[in-house]
Amino acid sequence: MMKDVQTKAPGKLYIAGEYAVTEPGYPAVLVALDRFIHVQVSPSKREYGTISSPALSEEALKWTRENGQVSLTEEVESADILLSALHTTEQFLLEKGQTLSYYDILIESELTSKSGEKYGLGSSGAVTVAVIEALLASLSYPVSDILLYKLAALAHMKLNSKGSFGDLAAAAYTGWIAYTSFDKEWVQSKQQTHSVSDMVQLDWPLLSIEKLTPPTSLTLLIGWTGSPASTEKLVGSAHAHKKKEPYTAFLTESKACVERLIEAFRTQDKDSLFEEVRRNRKLLQQLSQENHLMIETPLLKTLCEIAEAYHAAAKTSGAGGGDCGIALIDSLQYKETIEGEWKKHAIVPLPFKIYQK
């Protein structure tokens, strides 16, 4: 029997390792934030289900099952990820002997500003994880972090996403994490011969998700420069230079830098932690110069320079290009000063905290 459930999954920010993490085996450090996608699933009393999501449509969307798959009664452009999450999870549940009835889904987001602009916190990843968790929980199926992550990754694989799926790992595991992407080609080839329930049981080559504990005095400041960036576009542009020597050098150096950063978390070595965050910024600056990418916009550069003037370690976060910049500080004495200076330059300090479920 299906039951009413509510779940939530957090948005994420990259601390280090962006761009390189889209290659299998290259690490990044991410953090989950206390801004969520909320999902409610409840059994439907009708011969169809509904999906209510302001991001997709003003009206509730109807769905039925065609050839055993969730299918909307009208086409909606941006519903691909949601449908893929439902298809993947339903397939898994059927393989596990569960009976599926119709249900209603309500999706609400806190990952945009009041005027509806995205902060760049990875809403598609959070939606995927929250929907999968809600569906599993509504049928009382035991949920683990790794199951959530793998089902979400399989759902995104169906859409040929170029991302690293780090947002899925952050949404599923929460807190601070070290993340390394898996070998997508291996997973794709296994999918030809394995069921969804088999796929989640396999060890995926190169995949690594490790929870990290930050030094207690470490505080993360986030500044939003107000112009959302297209991750797919920026990462695509960087990938166009994949075969060139500078890009290979960038990957090698990013890997070494982030591995030292992860070690600094393990040993609670704040000096090294700050040093590697600053080094990662330099590597991203080199990458953008060599490939004519706009990762660190003038406003993001200002954000970093202000923070650095008050002993913070600062850099762009994620694809760059205008979303968020971050600053790590070791004591709260400069927090208000940094955020005050940011505001003078039209940089919005975001009051988000690290979310650990």
Side-chain angles (χ1 to χ4, degrees), residues 127-168:
V127 165
T128 312
V129 169
V131 163
I132 291 170
E133 184 169 8
L135 211 45
L136 295 173
S138 71
L139 287 162
S140 304
Y141 193 88
V143 177
S144 67
D145 295 346
I146 190 66
L147 176 63
L148 276 182
Y149 169 80
K150 284 184 171 174
L151 288 174
L154 291 171
H156 280 247
M157 289 282 286
K158 282 184 185 168
L159 304 173
N160 296 317
S161 162
K162 289 187 181 63
S164 68
F165 304 158
D167 53 346
L168 305 176

Coordinates of all heavy atoms in Angstrom, one line a residue, residues 127-168:
V127 N 16.0 17.8 -7.3 CA 14.7 17.3 -7.7 C 14.8 15.8 -7.9 O 13.9 15.0 -7.3 CB 14.2 17.9 -9.0 CG1 13.0 17.2 -9.6 CG2 13.8 19.4 -8.7
T128 N 15.8 15.3 -8.6 CA 15.9 13.9 -8.9 C 16.0 13.1 -7.6 O 15.2 12.1 -7.4 CB 17.2 13.6 -9.7 OG1 17.2 14.5 -10.8 CG2 17.2 12.2 -10.3
V129 N 16.8 13.5 -6.7 CA 17.0 12.8 -5.4 C 15.8 12.8 -4.5 O 15.4 11.8 -4.0 CB 18.3 13.3 -4.7 CG1 18.4 12.7 -3.2 CG2 19.6 12.9 -5.4
A130 N 15.2 14.0 -4.4 CA 14.0 14.1 -3.6 C 12.8 13.2 -4.1 O 12.1 12.6 -3.3 CB 13.6 15.6 -3.4
V131 N 12.6 13.2 -5.4 CA 11.5 12.5 -6.0 C 11.8 11.0 -5.9 O 10.9 10.2 -5.5 CB 11.4 12.8 -7.5 CG1 10.6 11.8 -8.3 CG2 10.8 14.2 -7.7
I132 N 13.0 10.5 -6.1 CA 13.3 9.1 -5.9 C 13.1 8.7 -4.5 O 12.5 7.6 -4.2 CB 14.8 8.8 -6.4 CG1 14.9 9.0 -7.9 CG2 15.2 7.4 -5.9 CD1 16.3 9.0 -8.4
E133 N 13.6 9.5 -3.5 CA 13.4 9.1 -2.1 C 11.9 9.1 -1.7 O 11.5 8.2 -1.0 CB 14.1 10.1 -1.2 CG 14.1 9.7 0.2 CD 15.0 10.5 1.2 OE1 15.6 11.5 0.7 OE2 15.0 10.2 2.3
A134 N 11.1 10.0 -2.3 CA 9.7 10.1 -1.9 C 9.0 8.8 -2.4 O 8.2 8.2 -1.8 CB 9.1 11.3 -2.5
L135 N 9.3 8.4 -3.7 CA 8.7 7.3 -4.3 C 9.0 6.0 -3.5 O 8.2 5.2 -3.2 CB 9.1 7.2 -5.7 CG 8.1 6.6 -6.7 CD1 6.7 7.1 -6.5 CD2 8.6 6.8 -8.2
L136 N 10.3 5.8 -3.2 CA 10.7 4.6 -2.4 C 10.1 4.6 -1.0 O 9.5 3.6 -0.6 CB 12.3 4.6 -2.2 CG 13.1 4.5 -3.5 CD1 14.6 4.7 -3.1 CD2 12.9 3.1 -4.1
A137 N 10.1 5.8 -0.4 CA 9.5 5.9 1.0 C 8.0 5.6 1.0 O 7.4 5.1 1.9 CB 9.8 7.2 1.6
S138 N 7.3 6.1 -0.1 CA 5.8 5.9 -0.1 C 5.5 4.5 -0.2 O 4.4 4.1 0.2 CB 5.3 6.7 -1.4 OG 5.6 6.0 -2.5
L139 N 6.4 3.6 -0.6 CA 6.1 2.2 -0.6 C 6.9 1.5 0.5 O 7.2 0.2 0.4 CB 6.5 1.6 -2.0 CG 5.5 1.9 -3.1 CD1 6.0 1.7 -4.5 CD2 4.2 1.1 -2.9
S140 N 7.4 2.3 1.4 CA 8.2 1.7 2.6 C 9.4 0.9 2.2 O 9.8 0.0 2.9 CB 7.3 0.9 3.5 OG 6.2 1.7 3.9
Y141 N 10.0 1.3 1.0 CA 11.2 0.6 0.6 C 12.4 1.2 1.3 O 12.5 2.4 1.3 CB 11.4 0.7 -0.9 CG 12.5 -0.3 -1.4 CD1 12.1 -1.6 -1.7 CD2 13.8 0.1 -1.4 CE1 13.1 -2.5 -2.1 CE2 14.8 -0.8 -1.8 CZ 14.4 -2.1 -2.1 OH 15.4 -3.0 -2.5
P142 N 13.3 0.4 1.9 CA 14.5 1.0 2.6 C 15.4 1.8 1.7 O 15.8 1.4 0.7 CB 15.2 -0.2 3.1 CG 14.5 -1.5 2.7 CD 13.3 -1.1 1.9
V143 N 15.7 3.0 2.2 CA 16.4 4.0 1.4 C 17.8 4.1 2.0 O 18.0 4.3 3.2 CB 15.8 5.4 1.5 CG1 16.6 6.4 0.7 CG2 14.4 5.3 0.9
S144 N 18.9 4.0 1.2 CA 20.2 4.3 1.6 C 20.8 5.4 0.7 O 20.3 5.6 -0.4 CB 21.1 3.1 1.5 OG 21.3 2.7 0.2
D145 N 21.9 6.1 1.2 CA 22.5 7.2 0.4 C 22.9 6.7 -0.9 O 22.7 7.3 -2.0 CB 23.7 7.8 1.2 CG 23.2 8.5 2.5 OD1 22.0 8.7 2.6 OD2 24.1 8.8 3.3
I146 N 23.6 5.5 -0.9 CA 24.2 5.0 -2.2 C 23.1 4.6 -3.2 O 23.2 4.8 -4.4 CB 25.2 3.9 -1.9 CG1 26.0 3.5 -3.2 CG2 24.6 2.6 -1.4 CD1 26.9 4.6 -3.7
L147 N 22.0 4.0 -2.7 CA 20.9 3.6 -3.5 C 20.3 4.9 -4.2 O 20.0 4.9 -5.4 CB 19.8 2.9 -2.7 CG 18.5 2.5 -3.5 CD1 18.9 1.6 -4.7 CD2 17.5 1.9 -2.6
L148 N 20.1 5.9 -3.4 CA 19.5 7.2 -3.9 C 20.4 7.7 -5.0 O 20.0 8.1 -6.1 CB 19.5 8.3 -2.8 CG 18.2 8.3 -1.9 CD1 18.4 9.4 -0.9 CD2 17.0 8.4 -2.7
Y149 N 21.7 7.8 -4.7 CA 22.7 8.3 -5.7 C 22.7 7.5 -7.0 O 22.6 8.1 -8.1 CB 24.1 8.3 -5.1 CG 25.2 8.6 -6.1 CD1 25.4 9.9 -6.6 CD2 25.8 7.6 -6.8 CE1 26.3 10.2 -7.6 CE2 26.7 7.9 -7.9 CZ 26.9 9.2 -8.2 OH 27.8 9.5 -9.3
K150 N 22.7 6.2 -6.9 CA 22.9 5.4 -8.1 C 21.6 5.4 -8.9 O 21.7 5.5 -10.2 CB 23.2 3.9 -7.7 CG 24.7 3.8 -7.4 CD 25.0 2.3 -7.1 CE 26.6 2.1 -7.0 NZ 26.9 0.8 -6.6
L151 N 20.4 5.4 -8.3 CA 19.2 5.5 -9.1 C 19.1 6.9 -9.8 O 18.7 7.0 -10.9 CB 17.9 5.3 -8.2 CG 17.7 3.9 -7.7 CD1 16.5 3.9 -6.7 CD2 17.3 3.0 -8.9
A152 N 19.5 7.9 -9.0 CA 19.5 9.3 -9.6 C 20.5 9.4 -10.8 O 20.2 10.0 -11.8 CB 19.9 10.3 -8.5
A153 N 21.7 8.8 -10.6 CA 22.7 8.8 -11.7 C 22.2 8.0 -12.9 O 22.4 8.5 -14.0 CB 24.0 8.2 -11.2
L154 N 21.5 6.9 -12.7 CA 21.0 6.1 -13.8 C 19.9 6.9 -14.6 O 19.8 6.9 -15.8 CB 20.4 4.8 -13.4 CG 21.4 3.8 -12.8 CD1 20.7 2.6 -12.2 CD2 22.4 3.3 -14.0
A155 N 19.1 7.7 -13.8 CA 18.1 8.5 -14.4 C 18.7 9.6 -15.3 O 18.3 9.9 -16.4 CB 17.2 9.2 -13.3
H156 N 19.8 10.2 -14.8 CA 20.5 11.3 -15.6 C 21.3 10.7 -16.7 O 21.4 11.4 -17.8 CB 21.4 12.1 -14.6 CG 20.7 13.1 -13.8 ND1 20.9 14.5 -14.0 CD2 19.8 13.0 -12.9 CE1 20.1 15.1 -13.2 NE2 19.4 14.3 -12.5
M157 N 21.8 9.5 -16.6 CA 22.5 8.8 -17.7 C 21.6 8.7 -18.9 O 22.0 8.8 -20.0 CB 23.0 7.4 -17.3 CG 24.1 7.4 -16.3 SD 25.7 7.7 -17.0 CE 26.0 6.1 -17.8
K158 N 20.3 8.4 -18.7 CA 19.4 8.2 -19.8 C 19.3 9.4 -20.6 O 18.9 9.4 -21.8 CB 18.0 7.9 -19.2 CG 17.7 6.5 -18.7 CD 16.3 6.3 -18.3 CE 16.1 4.9 -17.7 NZ 14.7 4.8 -17.0
L159 N 19.6 10.6 -20.0 CA 19.4 11.9 -20.8 C 20.8 12.3 -21.3 O 20.9 13.5 -21.8 CB 18.9 12.9 -19.8 CG 17.5 12.6 -19.2 CD1 17.1 13.6 -18.2 CD2 16.4 12.4 -20.2
N160 N 21.8 11.5 -21.3 CA 23.1 11.8 -21.8 C 23.7 13.1 -21.2 O 24.3 13.9 -21.9 CB 23.1 11.9 -23.3 CG 22.8 10.6 -24.0 OD1 23.3 9.6 -23.6 ND2 21.9 10.6 -25.0
S161 N 23.5 13.3 -19.9 CA 24.0 14.5 -19.2 C 25.5 14.5 -19.3 O 26.2 13.5 -19.1 CB 23.5 14.5 -17.8 OG 24.3 15.4 -17.0
K162 N 26.1 15.7 -19.5 CA 27.6 15.9 -19.5 C 28.1 16.1 -18.1 O 29.3 16.3 -17.9 CB 27.9 17.1 -20.4 CG 27.7 16.8 -21.9 CD 28.3 17.9 -22.7 CE 28.1 17.7 -24.2 NZ 26.7 17.7 -24.6
G163 N 27.2 16.3 -17.1 CA 27.7 16.6 -15.8 C 28.5 15.5 -15.1 O 28.6 14.4 -15.6
S164 N 28.9 15.8 -13.9 CA 29.7 14.9 -13.1 C 28.8 14.1 -12.2 O 29.3 13.1 -11.6 CB 30.8 15.6 -12.3 OG 30.1 16.3 -11.3
F165 N 27.6 14.6 -12.0 CA 26.6 14.0 -11.0 C 27.1 14.2 -9.5 O 26.6 13.6 -8.6 CB 26.4 12.5 -11.2 CG 25.9 12.2 -12.6 CD1 26.1 10.9 -13.1 CD2 25.3 13.1 -13.4 CE1 25.7 10.6 -14.4 CE2 24.9 12.8 -14.7 CZ 25.1 11.5 -15.2
G166 N 28.0 15.2 -9.3 CA 28.4 15.6 -8.0 C 27.2 16.2 -7.2 O 27.1 16.0 -6.0
D167 N 26.3 16.9 -8.0 CA 25.1 17.4 -7.3 C 24.2 16.3 -6.7 O 23.6 16.5 -5.7 CB 24.3 18.3 -8.3 CG 23.9 17.6 -9.6 OD1 24.5 16.6 -9.9 OD2 23.1 18.2 -10.3
L168 N 24.2 15.2 -7.4 CA 23.4 14.0 -6.9 C 24.0 13.4 -5.7 O 23.3 13.1 -4.7 CB 23.3 12.9 -8.0 CG 22.8 13.4 -9.4 CD1 22.9 12.2 -10.4 CD2 21.4 13.9 -9.3

